[in-house]
Amino acid sequence: MSALRLLLFDIDGTLVNCGAQIRPLFAAALREVYGTAGGCDTYSFVGRTDPEIVLELMTAAGVAAEEVAARLPRMRDLYLGRLAAALDRDAMCLLPGVAEILADLSNRRDLALALLTGNWEGGARAKLAPFDLNRFFAFGAFGGDAGRRSDLLPIALSRAEQSLGKLFQPAETLIIGDSIHDVACGHDHGIAVLAVATGRTPAAALRAAGADWVVPDLLAAREAHPWLAGRLQGNAGE
C-alpha cells in the first residue's frame, strides 16, 4: 500500500455554492450585534475566515478591535443559528464532480480527507449537510480556530495527527481550494495547492497566484493530479 496522504478541502466555491443567501444572514447578525453591517454588501468574503471578515468590516466601520473581539461570540452564535434555520438547499449548488470524487476518495486506503475552511465549524457543517457531505470529513480546521487562514494549516495537521496517528509532512499534504488565499496558505507552509476555478476567482488569477495545478472543476482534478486519479496503486480495491 502507498503511504497515507492528506487532502485538505475548502468548502465555499470548492465543494458547494450557497448562492446569495449567506451575505444577508451575516449582515443581519452584524447589525444586531454591532449596530452596523459596515461595507458588507461589497466586501469580498472569498478565502477569508469568518472572524477575519467581522474584524475587517467592523473596524472599517469605526468599531474598536477590542469591542469587535468582545462581541464576536454573540455574533457567531447569532449568525450560525440563523444559518442553520434559514439555509435553503434549493438555492445552493453542489459543484461538478464533488459527490463522485469524495465518494471515491473516501474509499481509498492511501488518502485521508479533512477540511481547511474559513467558516466557523457550525457554518461549515450546515453548508455541507444538505448534500450529506459531512460524512466524508471527520475533522478539520475551521475559521473559529484562528483569525488568518494560513494559521489554520498547523491546526489541521495537528488534528490529523490526533485522529490518524500520523504527522503529515508537506510533501504528503495537498490543499484543494478555489481562492488565492488557499494558494497563499499552501505557500506559507510549503504545501502544494490544487485550485479549482469553480468559485469567484478566475483560473488566470489562480495561476498568477502560484497554484501548483489549476483545473476547471474537481472532475478535471482527477486527470491533473496523480493522487486523485482513479484506481491508483494503494486504492482500496487493489
Side-chain angles (χ1 to χ4, degrees):
M1 179 194 282
S2 300
L4 185 64
R5 293 162 292 193
L6 179 65
L7 306 180
L8 296 171
F9 285 85
D10 176 52
I11 295 177
D12 296 285
T14 301
L15 301 178
V16 302
N17 183 335
C18 294
Q21 60 185 318
I22 302 301
R23 191 181 298 268
L25 295 172
F26 205 93
L30 287 173
R31 281 192 292 269
E32 183 162 338
V33 175
Y34 297 102
T36 178
C40 188
D41 286 348
T42 57
Y43 180 89
S44 175
F45 286 32
V46 176
R48 301 188 184 279
T49 70
D50 284 343
E52 180 182 22
I53 295 168
V54 175
L55 179 63
E56 291 195 355
L57 284 171
M58 293 300 92
T59 54
V63 182
E66 295 79 6
E67 186 175 354
V68 176
R71 298 187 186 187
L72 186 62
R74 182 171 171 239
M75 157 65 196
R76 176 199 62 210
D77 293 345
L78 189 62
Y79 162 67
L80 293 180
R82 291 178 175 176
L83 182 67
L87 195 60
D88 181 3
R89 186 187 190 281
D90 291 338
M92 299 173 67
C93 173
L94 182 65
L95 292 169
V98 169
E100 299 89 340
I101 200 166
L102 290 183
D104 176 54
L105 297 178
S106 67
N107 287 322
R108 294 267 298 276
R109 294 178 185 171
D110 60 335
L111 296 175
L113 281 58
L115 294 168
L116 181 64
T117 172
N119 287 280
W120 280 303
E121 184 170 7
R125 298 300 183 183
K127 291 175 180 181
L128 295 175
F131 301 102
D132 193 26
L133 300 184
N134 280 308
R135 61 194 171 101
F136 297 117
F137 303 105
F139 64 92
F142 305 90
D145 294 321
R148 294 177 60 251
R149 190 177 199 94
S150 184
D151 294 335
L152 296 177
L153 196 283
I155 296 169
L157 295 180
S158 176
R159 289 183 178 158
E161 184 178 13
Q162 293 169 14
S163 179
L164 302 170
K166 173 181 171 65
L167 178 59
F168 289 90
Q169 300 302 314
E172 299 171 314
T173 307
L174 178 68
I175 291 174
I176 301 173
D178 67 291
S179 79
I180 61 173
H181 298 286
D182 295 298
V183 178
C185 178
H187 283 180
D188 286 348
H189 298 279
I191 291 174
V193 180
L194 186 148
V196 290
T198 45
R200 297 183 179 275
T201 306
L206 295 168
R207 292 190 189 94
D212 299 273
W213 297 268
V214 179
V215 293
D217 54 41
L218 277 178
L219 281 176
R222 291 185 182 215
E223 303 301 323
H225 197 290
W227 293 7
L228 306 183
R231 295 296 179 191
L232 288 180
Q233 286 188 350
N235 200 341
E238 296 182 348

